[in-house]
Amino acid sequence: GLSAELAAQYGFLLCRVGAFSAAEGALRAADSQNEIDPATKAKILHCLAVSYMGMERWQDAVGCLEDESALVLEDSQRSEVKRLSGLCWSKLGRPRLAQCLLL
């Protein structure tokens, strides 16, 4: 099988070109391996969230973003996670929750 690092890189690439379900497969494969450092794990979760958003799987995206925010993030990453979560919640018909996050 692919190493976690390779699978992750492959997933990031697929996500970037909009091949969201293929990206999901590669990222999940990377995520299931144990030897990933927190920064890579955060990036995997972030790309998974973006892929789910691309497939309009808002609840799945929110789950990934919540997992990502539990990892130690820089401020810029944190605000991006909040922004994407807000988008997802508004799509899920929870605009008030979305507003809290976007403040």
Side-chain angles (χ1 to χ4, degrees):
L2 284 175
S3 74
E5 196 56 48
L6 262 175
Q9 293 302 334
Y10 187 52
F12 302 152
L13 196 67
L14 288 166
C15 176
R16 200 166 297 134
V17 299
F20 298 124
S21 57
E24 180 193 4
L27 293 164
R28 285 276 172 223
D31 194 33
S32 67
Q33 315 219 11
N34 301 329
E35 75 274 15
I36 326 173
D37 59 287
T40 304
K41 180 141 181 95
K43 196 171 173 190
I44 287 172
L45 288 165
H46 195 81
C47 284
L48 267 174
V50 170
S51 296
Y52 287 139
M53 290 174 79
M55 295 186 274
E56 301 197 357
R57 287 167 58 184
W58 309 112
Q59 196 73 59
D60 288 331
V62 165
C64 290
L65 291 164
E66 283 173 351
D67 290 348
E68 184 188 358
S69 69
L71 296 164
V72 186
L73 301 170
E74 295 157 27
D75 286 346
S76 62
Q77 287 172 292
R78 205 173 282 285
S79 57
E80 178 66 359
V81 167
K82 276 189 169 171
R83 190 180 70 78
L84 293 180
S85 294
L87 278 170
C88 291
W89 283 118
S90 61
K91 294 284 189 186
L92 286 164
R94 303 281 290 281
R96 182 157 298 153
L97 199 52
Q99 260 169 339
C100 298
L101 284 165
L102 295 173
L103 292 178

